Amino acid sequence: AQTVTQSQPEMSVQEAETVTLSCTYDTSENNYYLFWYKQPPSRQMILVIRQEAYKQQNATENRFSVNFQKAAKSFSLKISDSQLGDTAMYFCAFGGGSNYKLTFGKGTLLTVNP
Amino acid sequence: EAGVAQSPRYKIIEKRQSVAFWCNPISGHATLYWYQQILGQGPKLLIQFQNNGVVDDSQLPKDRFSAERLKGVDSTLKIQPAKLEDSAVYLCASSPGGRETQYFGPGTRLLVL
């Protein structure tokens, strides 16, 4: 069974600064996907970024980028130029297996301060 | 493009009562998921449908939970009878296929008293 660990329950950052959220996972599979989802206080889960395990290049979406270390089973999210609207719960998720089930971490609550 | 729709948004019931949630996925999405998100935790998959067939229901408490997806489109999740520990947000998600990104609805927040 896959497990996803987010070791930072809460983090805070000043507006315009950079912050990195950590995620590690455990799996015996070789082909899988990794995701970061954002859940603002309204609770609508939104995809932030997605990484295919077979791709060596780290995914990037505007201010969001990942550091994917396959051998270390690490998948961190970097948010540059943090904005107040980035305040949310961030979930790391692993997608794999025969039915591509998503396994989520417990989340990191990020607060961006003005 | 319309997103995943869920109703109701909030529901308060007493223990041992029954409750049903409804989900309408994004048009054309073959795969539909129901998740349970307890406060302070990440979502946990309850059941996954591919069209109108069940792909995974290994974590669905089948003695009290049931789900169906008629005609491979809308889905309903039912709890009967509800327990206090069922208090959670129930999220519906859909994806075009089994290995695609999942898109989530706003969720239904259930409180069992």
Side-chain angles (χ1 to χ4, degrees), chain A residues 33 35 37 39 43-45 47 50 91 97 99-102 104-106, chain B residues 35 37 42-43 45 48 55-56 59 89 98-102 104-106 109:
Chain A
Y33 298 78
F35 303 84
Y37 278 92
Q39 192 174 40
R43 305 197 76 85
Q44 180 99 34
M45 193 87 74
L47 176 70
R50 162 187 165 129
F91 290 99
N99 64 340
Y100 188 47
K101 180 170 72 174
L102 283 188
F104 285 84
K106 290 190 174 182
Chain B
Y35 290 87
Q37 186 178 19
L45 180 70
Q48 176 183 347
V55 174
D56 185 343
Q59 298 190 89
V89 176
R99 300 186 74 82
E100 304 293 329
T101 296
Q102 296 181 26
F104 286 80
R109 187 174 299 209

PDB file of all heavy atoms in Angstrom, chain A residues 33 35 37 39 43-45 47 50 91 97 99-102 104-106, chain B residues 35 37 42-43 45 48 55-56 59 89 98-102 104-106 109:
ATOM      1  N   TYR A  33       1.899   8.803 -10.703  1.00  0.00           N
ATOM      2  CA  TYR A  33       1.777  10.245 -10.832  1.00  0.00           C
ATOM      3  C   TYR A  33       1.770  10.851  -9.435  1.00  0.00           C
ATOM      4  O   TYR A  33       1.320  10.230  -8.471  1.00  0.00           O
ATOM      5  CB  TYR A  33       0.468  10.627 -11.537  1.00  0.00           C
ATOM      6  CG  TYR A  33       0.358  10.101 -12.948  1.00  0.00           C
ATOM      7  CD1 TYR A  33       0.023   8.772 -13.207  1.00  0.00           C
ATOM      8  CD2 TYR A  33       0.575  10.930 -14.040  1.00  0.00           C
ATOM      9  CE1 TYR A  33      -0.074   8.294 -14.494  1.00  0.00           C
ATOM     10  CE2 TYR A  33       0.471  10.465 -15.336  1.00  0.00           C
ATOM     11  CZ  TYR A  33       0.149   9.144 -15.559  1.00  0.00           C
ATOM     12  OH  TYR A  33       0.039   8.671 -16.842  1.00  0.00           O
ATOM     13  N   PHE A  35       0.774  14.593  -7.318  1.00  0.00           N
ATOM     14  CA  PHE A  35      -0.010  15.815  -7.445  1.00  0.00           C
ATOM     15  C   PHE A  35       0.145  16.683  -6.197  1.00  0.00           C
ATOM     16  O   PHE A  35       0.357  16.181  -5.088  1.00  0.00           O
ATOM     17  CB  PHE A  35      -1.511  15.495  -7.576  1.00  0.00           C
ATOM     18  CG  PHE A  35      -1.863  14.596  -8.718  1.00  0.00           C
ATOM     19  CD1 PHE A  35      -1.775  13.219  -8.587  1.00  0.00           C
ATOM     20  CD2 PHE A  35      -2.299  15.126  -9.921  1.00  0.00           C
ATOM     21  CE1 PHE A  35      -2.113  12.388  -9.637  1.00  0.00           C
ATOM     22  CE2 PHE A  35      -2.647  14.294 -10.979  1.00  0.00           C
ATOM     23  CZ  PHE A  35      -2.548  12.924 -10.830  1.00  0.00           C
ATOM     24  N   TYR A  37      -2.540  19.386  -4.589  1.00  0.00           N
ATOM     25  CA  TYR A  37      -3.854  20.005  -4.649  1.00  0.00           C
ATOM     26  C   TYR A  37      -3.931  21.087  -3.585  1.00  0.00           C
ATOM     27  O   TYR A  37      -3.362  20.975  -2.511  1.00  0.00           O
ATOM     28  CB  TYR A  37      -4.967  18.972  -4.389  1.00  0.00           C
ATOM     29  CG  TYR A  37      -5.369  18.140  -5.580  1.00  0.00           C
ATOM     30  CD1 TYR A  37      -4.757  16.916  -5.832  1.00  0.00           C
ATOM     31  CD2 TYR A  37      -6.374  18.560  -6.452  1.00  0.00           C
ATOM     32  CE1 TYR A  37      -5.144  16.141  -6.922  1.00  0.00           C
ATOM     33  CE2 TYR A  37      -6.766  17.800  -7.540  1.00  0.00           C
ATOM     34  CZ  TYR A  37      -6.145  16.582  -7.763  1.00  0.00           C
ATOM     35  OH  TYR A  37      -6.530  15.809  -8.833  1.00  0.00           O
ATOM     36  N   GLN A  39      -6.638  23.437  -1.290  1.00  0.00           N
ATOM     37  CA  GLN A  39      -8.015  23.485  -0.801  1.00  0.00           C
ATOM     38  C   GLN A  39      -8.192  24.745   0.031  1.00  0.00           C
ATOM     39  O   GLN A  39      -7.897  24.784   1.220  1.00  0.00           O
ATOM     40  CB  GLN A  39      -8.336  22.245   0.029  1.00  0.00           C
ATOM     41  CG  GLN A  39      -9.815  22.080   0.323  1.00  0.00           C
ATOM     42  CD  GLN A  39     -10.101  20.749   1.020  1.00  0.00           C
ATOM     43  OE1 GLN A  39      -9.343  20.327   1.892  1.00  0.00           O
ATOM     44  NE2 GLN A  39     -11.171  20.087   0.635  1.00  0.00           N
ATOM     45  N   ARG A  43     -13.232  25.069   0.586  1.00  0.00           N
ATOM     46  CA  ARG A  43     -13.124  23.615   0.493  1.00  0.00           C
ATOM     47  C   ARG A  43     -13.198  23.032  -0.915  1.00  0.00           C
ATOM     48  O   ARG A  43     -13.338  21.849  -1.065  1.00  0.00           O
ATOM     49  CB  ARG A  43     -14.139  22.919   1.397  1.00  0.00           C
ATOM     50  CG  ARG A  43     -14.062  23.338   2.848  1.00  0.00           C
ATOM     51  CD  ARG A  43     -14.766  22.361   3.719  1.00  0.00           C
ATOM     52  NE  ARG A  43     -13.983  21.152   3.898  1.00  0.00           N
ATOM     53  CZ  ARG A  43     -13.044  21.006   4.808  1.00  0.00           C
ATOM     54  NH1 ARG A  43     -12.745  21.996   5.614  1.00  0.00           N
ATOM     55  NH2 ARG A  43     -12.381  19.884   4.913  1.00  0.00           N
ATOM     56  N   GLN A  44     -13.168  23.825  -1.949  1.00  0.00           N
ATOM     57  CA  GLN A  44     -13.106  23.275  -3.311  1.00  0.00           C
ATOM     58  C   GLN A  44     -11.666  22.894  -3.582  1.00  0.00           C
ATOM     59  O   GLN A  44     -10.760  23.726  -3.554  1.00  0.00           O
ATOM     60  CB  GLN A  44     -13.566  24.320  -4.328  1.00  0.00           C
ATOM     61  CG  GLN A  44     -13.526  23.851  -5.761  1.00  0.00           C
ATOM     62  CD  GLN A  44     -14.874  23.395  -6.266  1.00  0.00           C
ATOM     63  OE1 GLN A  44     -15.912  23.943  -5.889  1.00  0.00           O
ATOM     64  NE2 GLN A  44     -14.889  22.381  -7.104  1.00  0.00           N
ATOM     65  N   MET A  45     -11.415  21.625  -3.836  1.00  0.00           N
ATOM     66  CA  MET A  45     -10.081  21.118  -4.096  1.00  0.00           C
ATOM     67  C   MET A  45      -9.680  21.480  -5.527  1.00  0.00           C
ATOM     68  O   MET A  45     -10.404  21.170  -6.480  1.00  0.00           O
ATOM     69  CB  MET A  45     -10.072  19.602  -3.913  1.00  0.00           C
ATOM     70  CG  MET A  45      -8.703  18.989  -3.852  1.00  0.00           C
ATOM     71  SD  MET A  45      -8.016  18.974  -2.200  1.00  0.00           S
ATOM     72  CE  MET A  45      -8.992  17.679  -1.472  1.00  0.00           C
ATOM     73  N   LEU A  47      -6.485  21.490  -8.473  1.00  0.00           N
ATOM     74  CA  LEU A  47      -5.178  20.977  -8.857  1.00  0.00           C
ATOM     75  C   LEU A  47      -4.195  22.127  -9.001  1.00  0.00           C
ATOM     76  O   LEU A  47      -4.478  23.112  -9.665  1.00  0.00           O
ATOM     77  CB  LEU A  47      -5.259  20.211 -10.174  1.00  0.00           C
ATOM     78  CG  LEU A  47      -3.921  19.703 -10.715  1.00  0.00           C
ATOM     79  CD1 LEU A  47      -3.395  18.579  -9.837  1.00  0.00           C
ATOM     80  CD2 LEU A  47      -4.067  19.234 -12.157  1.00  0.00           C
ATOM     81  N   ARG A  50       1.051  18.757 -11.414  1.00  0.00           N
ATOM     82  CA  ARG A  50       1.067  17.302 -11.591  1.00  0.00           C
ATOM     83  C   ARG A  50       2.422  16.893 -12.162  1.00  0.00           C
ATOM     84  O   ARG A  50       2.981  17.596 -13.006  1.00  0.00           O
ATOM     85  CB  ARG A  50      -0.070  16.924 -12.530  1.00  0.00           C
ATOM     86  CG  ARG A  50       0.013  15.564 -13.188  1.00  0.00           C
ATOM     87  CD  ARG A  50      -1.100  15.417 -14.209  1.00  0.00           C
ATOM     88  NE  ARG A  50      -0.861  14.300 -15.102  1.00  0.00           N
ATOM     89  CZ  ARG A  50      -1.734  13.357 -15.361  1.00  0.00           C
ATOM     90  NH1 ARG A  50      -2.920  13.366 -14.794  1.00  0.00           N
ATOM     91  NH2 ARG A  50      -1.456  12.383 -16.206  1.00  0.00           N
ATOM     92  N   PHE A  91      -2.467  19.672  -0.235  1.00  0.00           N
ATOM     93  CA  PHE A  91      -2.384  18.224  -0.113  1.00  0.00           C
ATOM     94  C   PHE A  91      -1.482  17.660  -1.203  1.00  0.00           C
ATOM     95  O   PHE A  91      -1.622  17.993  -2.385  1.00  0.00           O
ATOM     96  CB  PHE A  91      -3.763  17.579  -0.257  1.00  0.00           C
ATOM     97  CG  PHE A  91      -4.678  17.845   0.905  1.00  0.00           C
ATOM     98  CD1 PHE A  91      -5.635  18.845   0.836  1.00  0.00           C
ATOM     99  CD2 PHE A  91      -4.592  17.086   2.065  1.00  0.00           C
ATOM    100  CE1 PHE A  91      -6.485  19.097   1.891  1.00  0.00           C
ATOM    101  CE2 PHE A  91      -5.442  17.319   3.132  1.00  0.00           C
ATOM    102  CZ  PHE A  91      -6.387  18.332   3.049  1.00  0.00           C
ATOM    103  N   GLY A  97      -1.185   2.320  -9.104  1.00  0.00           N
ATOM    104  CA  GLY A  97      -1.934   1.083  -8.960  1.00  0.00           C
ATOM    105  C   GLY A  97      -2.773   0.793 -10.177  1.00  0.00           C
ATOM    106  O   GLY A  97      -2.908   1.615 -11.072  1.00  0.00           O
ATOM    107  N   ASN A  99      -5.934   0.677 -10.549  1.00  0.00           N
ATOM    108  CA  ASN A  99      -7.087   1.553 -10.730  1.00  0.00           C
ATOM    109  C   ASN A  99      -6.750   3.023 -10.515  1.00  0.00           C
ATOM    110  O   ASN A  99      -7.657   3.851 -10.465  1.00  0.00           O
ATOM    111  CB  ASN A  99      -8.212   1.148  -9.779  1.00  0.00           C
ATOM    112  CG  ASN A  99      -7.816   1.327  -8.320  1.00  0.00           C
ATOM    113  OD1 ASN A  99      -6.644   1.388  -7.997  1.00  0.00           O
ATOM    114  ND2 ASN A  99      -8.796   1.406  -7.439  1.00  0.00           N
ATOM    115  N   TYR A 100      -5.441   3.334 -10.413  1.00  0.00           N
ATOM    116  CA  TYR A 100      -4.995   4.720 -10.345  1.00  0.00           C
ATOM    117  C   TYR A 100      -5.664   5.456  -9.187  1.00  0.00           C
ATOM    118  O   TYR A 100      -6.084   6.594  -9.314  1.00  0.00           O
ATOM    119  CB  TYR A 100      -5.317   5.410 -11.670  1.00  0.00           C
ATOM    120  CG  TYR A 100      -4.739   6.795 -11.828  1.00  0.00           C
ATOM    121  CD1 TYR A 100      -3.426   7.063 -11.526  1.00  0.00           C
ATOM    122  CD2 TYR A 100      -5.538   7.841 -12.256  1.00  0.00           C
ATOM    123  CE1 TYR A 100      -2.909   8.330 -11.655  1.00  0.00           C
ATOM    124  CE2 TYR A 100      -5.042   9.110 -12.396  1.00  0.00           C
ATOM    125  CZ  TYR A 100      -3.719   9.357 -12.098  1.00  0.00           C
ATOM    126  OH  TYR A 100      -3.224  10.609 -12.229  1.00  0.00           O
ATOM    127  N   LYS A 101      -5.753   4.797  -8.039  1.00  0.00           N
ATOM    128  CA  LYS A 101      -6.368   5.415  -6.869  1.00  0.00           C
ATOM    129  C   LYS A 101      -5.459   6.492  -6.309  1.00  0.00           C
ATOM    130  O   LYS A 101      -4.232   6.340  -6.264  1.00  0.00           O
ATOM    131  CB  LYS A 101      -6.608   4.334  -5.813  1.00  0.00           C
ATOM    132  CG  LYS A 101      -7.237   4.831  -4.544  1.00  0.00           C
ATOM    133  CD  LYS A 101      -7.663   3.663  -3.666  1.00  0.00           C
ATOM    134  CE  LYS A 101      -6.497   2.955  -3.039  1.00  0.00           C
ATOM    135  NZ  LYS A 101      -6.941   1.927  -2.084  1.00  0.00           N
ATOM    136  N   LEU A 102      -6.037   7.612  -5.867  1.00  0.00           N
ATOM    137  CA  LEU A 102      -5.268   8.670  -5.237  1.00  0.00           C
ATOM    138  C   LEU A 102      -5.172   8.429  -3.733  1.00  0.00           C
ATOM    139  O   LEU A 102      -6.174   8.155  -3.075  1.00  0.00           O
ATOM    140  CB  LEU A 102      -5.921  10.032  -5.470  1.00  0.00           C
ATOM    141  CG  LEU A 102      -5.746  10.690  -6.839  1.00  0.00           C
ATOM    142  CD1 LEU A 102      -6.298  12.107  -6.821  1.00  0.00           C
ATOM    143  CD2 LEU A 102      -4.291  10.694  -7.277  1.00  0.00           C
ATOM    144  N   PHE A 104      -3.845  10.466  -0.416  1.00  0.00           N
ATOM    145  CA  PHE A 104      -3.508  11.822   0.000  1.00  0.00           C
ATOM    146  C   PHE A 104      -2.717  11.823   1.303  1.00  0.00           C
ATOM    147  O   PHE A 104      -2.895  10.959   2.164  1.00  0.00           O
ATOM    148  CB  PHE A 104      -4.787  12.639   0.236  1.00  0.00           C
ATOM    149  CG  PHE A 104      -5.489  13.063  -1.028  1.00  0.00           C
ATOM    150  CD1 PHE A 104      -6.366  12.202  -1.659  1.00  0.00           C
ATOM    151  CD2 PHE A 104      -5.290  14.319  -1.560  1.00  0.00           C
ATOM    152  CE1 PHE A 104      -7.027  12.588  -2.814  1.00  0.00           C
ATOM    153  CE2 PHE A 104      -5.950  14.717  -2.713  1.00  0.00           C
ATOM    154  CZ  PHE A 104      -6.814  13.846  -3.343  1.00  0.00           C
ATOM    155  N   GLY A 105      -1.868  12.851   1.448  1.00  0.00           N
ATOM    156  CA  GLY A 105      -1.260  13.136   2.736  1.00  0.00           C
ATOM    157  C   GLY A 105      -2.252  13.869   3.629  1.00  0.00           C
ATOM    158  O   GLY A 105      -3.382  14.159   3.210  1.00  0.00           O
ATOM    159  N   LYS A 106      -1.829  14.203   4.839  1.00  0.00           N
ATOM    160  CA  LYS A 106      -2.724  14.866   5.788  1.00  0.00           C
ATOM    161  C   LYS A 106      -2.841  16.359   5.545  1.00  0.00           C
ATOM    162  O   LYS A 106      -3.682  17.023   6.141  1.00  0.00           O
ATOM    163  CB  LYS A 106      -2.259  14.606   7.218  1.00  0.00           C
ATOM    164  CG  LYS A 106      -2.462  13.165   7.661  1.00  0.00           C
ATOM    165  CD  LYS A 106      -2.206  13.002   9.151  1.00  0.00           C
ATOM    166  CE  LYS A 106      -2.562  11.586   9.585  1.00  0.00           C
ATOM    167  NZ  LYS A 106      -2.362  11.404  11.049  1.00  0.00           N
TER     168      LYS A 106
ATOM    169  N   TYR B  35     -15.055  10.520  -2.113  1.00  0.00           N
ATOM    170  CA  TYR B  35     -14.075  10.561  -1.037  1.00  0.00           C
ATOM    171  C   TYR B  35     -14.747  11.017   0.255  1.00  0.00           C
ATOM    172  O   TYR B  35     -15.685  11.810   0.241  1.00  0.00           O
ATOM    173  CB  TYR B  35     -12.953  11.553  -1.357  1.00  0.00           C
ATOM    174  CG  TYR B  35     -12.011  11.155  -2.460  1.00  0.00           C
ATOM    175  CD1 TYR B  35     -12.298  11.449  -3.790  1.00  0.00           C
ATOM    176  CD2 TYR B  35     -10.824  10.492  -2.181  1.00  0.00           C
ATOM    177  CE1 TYR B  35     -11.432  11.099  -4.806  1.00  0.00           C
ATOM    178  CE2 TYR B  35      -9.943  10.136  -3.193  1.00  0.00           C
ATOM    179  CZ  TYR B  35     -10.254  10.442  -4.498  1.00  0.00           C
ATOM    180  OH  TYR B  35      -9.389  10.083  -5.500  1.00  0.00           O
ATOM    181  N   GLN B  37     -13.664  13.052   3.688  1.00  0.00           N
ATOM    182  CA  GLN B  37     -12.604  13.855   4.286  1.00  0.00           C
ATOM    183  C   GLN B  37     -13.011  14.245   5.697  1.00  0.00           C
ATOM    184  O   GLN B  37     -13.855  15.121   5.904  1.00  0.00           O
ATOM    185  CB  GLN B  37     -12.315  15.104   3.457  1.00  0.00           C
ATOM    186  CG  GLN B  37     -11.119  15.898   3.975  1.00  0.00           C
ATOM    187  CD  GLN B  37     -10.790  17.107   3.129  1.00  0.00           C
ATOM    188  OE1 GLN B  37     -11.609  17.590   2.367  1.00  0.00           O
ATOM    189  NE2 GLN B  37      -9.569  17.602   3.269  1.00  0.00           N
ATOM    190  N   GLY B  42      -6.549  14.183   5.091  1.00  0.00           N
ATOM    191  CA  GLY B  42      -6.717  14.202   3.643  1.00  0.00           C
ATOM    192  C   GLY B  42      -7.884  13.338   3.226  1.00  0.00           C
ATOM    193  O   GLY B  42      -8.344  12.480   3.986  1.00  0.00           O
ATOM    194  N   PRO B  43      -8.397  13.545   2.029  1.00  0.00           N
ATOM    195  CA  PRO B  43      -9.514  12.729   1.539  1.00  0.00           C
ATOM    196  C   PRO B  43      -9.131  11.255   1.454  1.00  0.00           C
ATOM    197  O   PRO B  43      -7.994  10.914   1.126  1.00  0.00           O
ATOM    198  CB  PRO B  43      -9.780  13.304   0.143  1.00  0.00           C
ATOM    199  CG  PRO B  43      -9.194  14.676   0.163  1.00  0.00           C
ATOM    200  CD  PRO B  43      -8.010  14.589   1.063  1.00  0.00           C
ATOM    201  N   LEU B  45     -10.474   7.655  -0.346  1.00  0.00           N
ATOM    202  CA  LEU B  45     -11.366   7.123  -1.369  1.00  0.00           C
ATOM    203  C   LEU B  45     -12.349   6.128  -0.774  1.00  0.00           C
ATOM    204  O   LEU B  45     -11.956   5.186  -0.077  1.00  0.00           O
ATOM    205  CB  LEU B  45     -10.566   6.442  -2.477  1.00  0.00           C
ATOM    206  CG  LEU B  45     -11.398   5.845  -3.612  1.00  0.00           C
ATOM    207  CD1 LEU B  45     -12.041   6.942  -4.452  1.00  0.00           C
ATOM    208  CD2 LEU B  45     -10.545   4.933  -4.490  1.00  0.00           C
ATOM    209  N   GLN B  48     -14.904   4.052  -6.411  1.00  0.00           N
ATOM    210  CA  GLN B  48     -14.541   4.534  -7.737  1.00  0.00           C
ATOM    211  C   GLN B  48     -15.383   3.808  -8.771  1.00  0.00           C
ATOM    212  O   GLN B  48     -15.466   2.570  -8.750  1.00  0.00           O
ATOM    213  CB  GLN B  48     -13.056   4.304  -8.008  1.00  0.00           C
ATOM    214  CG  GLN B  48     -12.593   4.694  -9.399  1.00  0.00           C
ATOM    215  CD  GLN B  48     -11.132   4.380  -9.646  1.00  0.00           C
ATOM    216  OE1 GLN B  48     -10.386   4.087  -8.728  1.00  0.00           O
ATOM    217  NE2 GLN B  48     -10.709   4.441 -10.903  1.00  0.00           N
ATOM    218  N   VAL B  55     -15.098   0.050  -9.776  1.00  0.00           N
ATOM    219  CA  VAL B  55     -13.707  -0.344  -9.953  1.00  0.00           C
ATOM    220  C   VAL B  55     -13.062  -0.680  -8.612  1.00  0.00           C
ATOM    221  O   VAL B  55     -12.296  -1.632  -8.503  1.00  0.00           O
ATOM    222  CB  VAL B  55     -12.909   0.776 -10.657  1.00  0.00           C
ATOM    223  CG1 VAL B  55     -11.432   0.425 -10.716  1.00  0.00           C
ATOM    224  CG2 VAL B  55     -13.464   1.035 -12.041  1.00  0.00           C
ATOM    225  N   ASP B  56     -13.369   0.127  -7.594  1.00  0.00           N
ATOM    226  CA  ASP B  56     -12.759  -0.059  -6.277  1.00  0.00           C
ATOM    227  C   ASP B  56     -13.739   0.406  -5.215  1.00  0.00           C
ATOM    228  O   ASP B  56     -14.141   1.569  -5.235  1.00  0.00           O
ATOM    229  CB  ASP B  56     -11.444   0.730  -6.190  1.00  0.00           C
ATOM    230  CG  ASP B  56     -10.676   0.491  -4.891  1.00  0.00           C
ATOM    231  OD1 ASP B  56     -11.259  -0.011  -3.909  1.00  0.00           O
ATOM    232  OD2 ASP B  56      -9.467   0.819  -4.860  1.00  0.00           O
ATOM    233  N   GLN B  59     -12.672   0.406   0.496  1.00  0.00           N
ATOM    234  CA  GLN B  59     -12.728   1.174   1.737  1.00  0.00           C
ATOM    235  C   GLN B  59     -14.129   1.699   2.031  1.00  0.00           C
ATOM    236  O   GLN B  59     -14.291   2.563   2.890  1.00  0.00           O
ATOM    237  CB  GLN B  59     -11.708   2.317   1.695  1.00  0.00           C
ATOM    238  CG  GLN B  59     -10.266   1.832   1.575  1.00  0.00           C
ATOM    239  CD  GLN B  59      -9.259   2.938   1.785  1.00  0.00           C
ATOM    240  OE1 GLN B  59      -8.835   3.210   2.896  1.00  0.00           O
ATOM    241  NE2 GLN B  59      -8.892   3.608   0.702  1.00  0.00           N
ATOM    242  N   VAL B  89     -16.683  15.748   5.395  1.00  0.00           N
ATOM    243  CA  VAL B  89     -17.032  16.308   4.093  1.00  0.00           C
ATOM    244  C   VAL B  89     -16.932  15.185   3.072  1.00  0.00           C
ATOM    245  O   VAL B  89     -15.939  14.446   3.043  1.00  0.00           O
ATOM    246  CB  VAL B  89     -16.102  17.465   3.695  1.00  0.00           C
ATOM    247  CG1 VAL B  89     -16.434  17.956   2.288  1.00  0.00           C
ATOM    248  CG2 VAL B  89     -16.222  18.613   4.694  1.00  0.00           C
ATOM    249  N   GLY B  98      -9.200   6.665 -16.306  1.00  0.00           N
ATOM    250  CA  GLY B  98      -8.649   6.219 -15.037  1.00  0.00           C
ATOM    251  C   GLY B  98      -7.308   6.822 -14.671  1.00  0.00           C
ATOM    252  O   GLY B  98      -6.953   6.859 -13.500  1.00  0.00           O
ATOM    253  N   ARG B  99      -6.531   7.312 -15.636  1.00  0.00           N
ATOM    254  CA  ARG B  99      -5.202   7.806 -15.312  1.00  0.00           C
ATOM    255  C   ARG B  99      -5.086   9.312 -15.520  1.00  0.00           C
ATOM    256  O   ARG B  99      -3.994   9.834 -15.643  1.00  0.00           O
ATOM    257  CB  ARG B  99      -4.158   7.071 -16.147  1.00  0.00           C
ATOM    258  CG  ARG B  99      -4.152   5.579 -15.904  1.00  0.00           C
ATOM    259  CD  ARG B  99      -3.016   4.892 -16.622  1.00  0.00           C
ATOM    260  NE  ARG B  99      -1.736   5.143 -15.988  1.00  0.00           N
ATOM    261  CZ  ARG B  99      -1.279   4.473 -14.931  1.00  0.00           C
ATOM    262  NH1 ARG B  99      -2.009   3.533 -14.393  1.00  0.00           N
ATOM    263  NH2 ARG B  99      -0.112   4.753 -14.419  1.00  0.00           N
ATOM    264  N   GLU B 100      -6.209   9.972 -15.561  1.00  0.00           N
ATOM    265  CA  GLU B 100      -6.203  11.417 -15.785  1.00  0.00           C
ATOM    266  C   GLU B 100      -6.343  12.172 -14.471  1.00  0.00           C
ATOM    267  O   GLU B 100      -6.693  11.614 -13.440  1.00  0.00           O
ATOM    268  CB  GLU B 100      -7.361  11.799 -16.713  1.00  0.00           C
ATOM    269  CG  GLU B 100      -7.373  11.071 -18.047  1.00  0.00           C
ATOM    270  CD  GLU B 100      -6.209  11.461 -18.925  1.00  0.00           C
ATOM    271  OE1 GLU B 100      -5.764  12.618 -18.821  1.00  0.00           O
ATOM    272  OE2 GLU B 100      -5.751  10.619 -19.716  1.00  0.00           O
ATOM    273  N   THR B 101      -6.100  13.456 -14.526  1.00  0.00           N
ATOM    274  CA  THR B 101      -6.272  14.315 -13.359  1.00  0.00           C
ATOM    275  C   THR B 101      -7.719  14.292 -12.891  1.00  0.00           C
ATOM    276  O   THR B 101      -8.642  14.303 -13.700  1.00  0.00           O
ATOM    277  CB  THR B 101      -5.859  15.754 -13.720  1.00  0.00           C
ATOM    278  OG1 THR B 101      -4.470  15.761 -14.030  1.00  0.00           O
ATOM    279  CG2 THR B 101      -6.135  16.710 -12.565  1.00  0.00           C
ATOM    280  N   GLN B 102      -7.904  14.243 -11.573  1.00  0.00           N
ATOM    281  CA  GLN B 102      -9.232  14.259 -10.992  1.00  0.00           C
ATOM    282  C   GLN B 102      -9.647  15.697 -10.672  1.00  0.00           C
ATOM    283  O   GLN B 102      -8.851  16.467 -10.130  1.00  0.00           O
ATOM    284  CB  GLN B 102      -9.261  13.413  -9.718  1.00  0.00           C
ATOM    285  CG  GLN B 102      -8.982  11.938  -9.997  1.00  0.00           C
ATOM    286  CD  GLN B 102      -9.034  11.087  -8.771  1.00  0.00           C
ATOM    287  OE1 GLN B 102      -9.706  11.413  -7.791  1.00  0.00           O
ATOM    288  NE2 GLN B 102      -8.327   9.970  -8.802  1.00  0.00           N
ATOM    289  N   PHE B 104     -12.436  17.994  -8.613  1.00  0.00           N
ATOM    290  CA  PHE B 104     -13.283  17.834  -7.437  1.00  0.00           C
ATOM    291  C   PHE B 104     -14.468  18.793  -7.425  1.00  0.00           C
ATOM    292  O   PHE B 104     -14.372  19.931  -7.910  1.00  0.00           O
ATOM    293  CB  PHE B 104     -12.463  18.048  -6.162  1.00  0.00           C
ATOM    294  CG  PHE B 104     -11.553  16.907  -5.842  1.00  0.00           C
ATOM    295  CD1 PHE B 104     -10.341  16.762  -6.489  1.00  0.00           C
ATOM    296  CD2 PHE B 104     -11.923  15.955  -4.897  1.00  0.00           C
ATOM    297  CE1 PHE B 104      -9.501  15.699  -6.200  1.00  0.00           C
ATOM    298  CE2 PHE B 104     -11.093  14.891  -4.600  1.00  0.00           C
ATOM    299  CZ  PHE B 104      -9.878  14.765  -5.250  1.00  0.00           C
ATOM    300  N   GLY B 105     -15.552  18.341  -6.824  1.00  0.00           N
ATOM    301  CA  GLY B 105     -16.696  19.190  -6.559  1.00  0.00           C
ATOM    302  C   GLY B 105     -16.513  19.934  -5.251  1.00  0.00           C
ATOM    303  O   GLY B 105     -15.512  19.740  -4.557  1.00  0.00           O
ATOM    304  N   PRO B 106     -17.482  20.780  -4.872  1.00  0.00           N
ATOM    305  CA  PRO B 106     -17.370  21.589  -3.656  1.00  0.00           C
ATOM    306  C   PRO B 106     -17.563  20.789  -2.370  1.00  0.00           C
ATOM    307  O   PRO B 106     -17.205  21.263  -1.298  1.00  0.00           O
ATOM    308  CB  PRO B 106     -18.472  22.623  -3.821  1.00  0.00           C
ATOM    309  CG  PRO B 106     -19.473  21.953  -4.697  1.00  0.00           C
ATOM    310  CD  PRO B 106     -18.691  21.097  -5.633  1.00  0.00           C
ATOM    311  N   ARG B 109     -20.936  18.851   3.334  1.00  0.00           N
ATOM    312  CA  ARG B 109     -20.502  18.755   4.730  1.00  0.00           C
ATOM    313  C   ARG B 109     -21.621  18.122   5.547  1.00  0.00           C
ATOM    314  O   ARG B 109     -22.717  18.657   5.641  1.00  0.00           O
ATOM    315  CB  ARG B 109     -20.167  20.123   5.295  1.00  0.00           C
ATOM    316  CG  ARG B 109     -19.553  20.095   6.677  1.00  0.00           C
ATOM    317  CD  ARG B 109     -19.113  21.457   7.117  1.00  0.00           C
ATOM    318  NE  ARG B 109     -18.097  22.005   6.214  1.00  0.00           N
ATOM    319  CZ  ARG B 109     -17.154  22.853   6.581  1.00  0.00           C
ATOM    320  NH1 ARG B 109     -17.094  23.245   7.831  1.00  0.00           N
ATOM    321  NH2 ARG B 109     -16.297  23.319   5.711  1.00  0.00           N
TER     322      ARG B 109
END
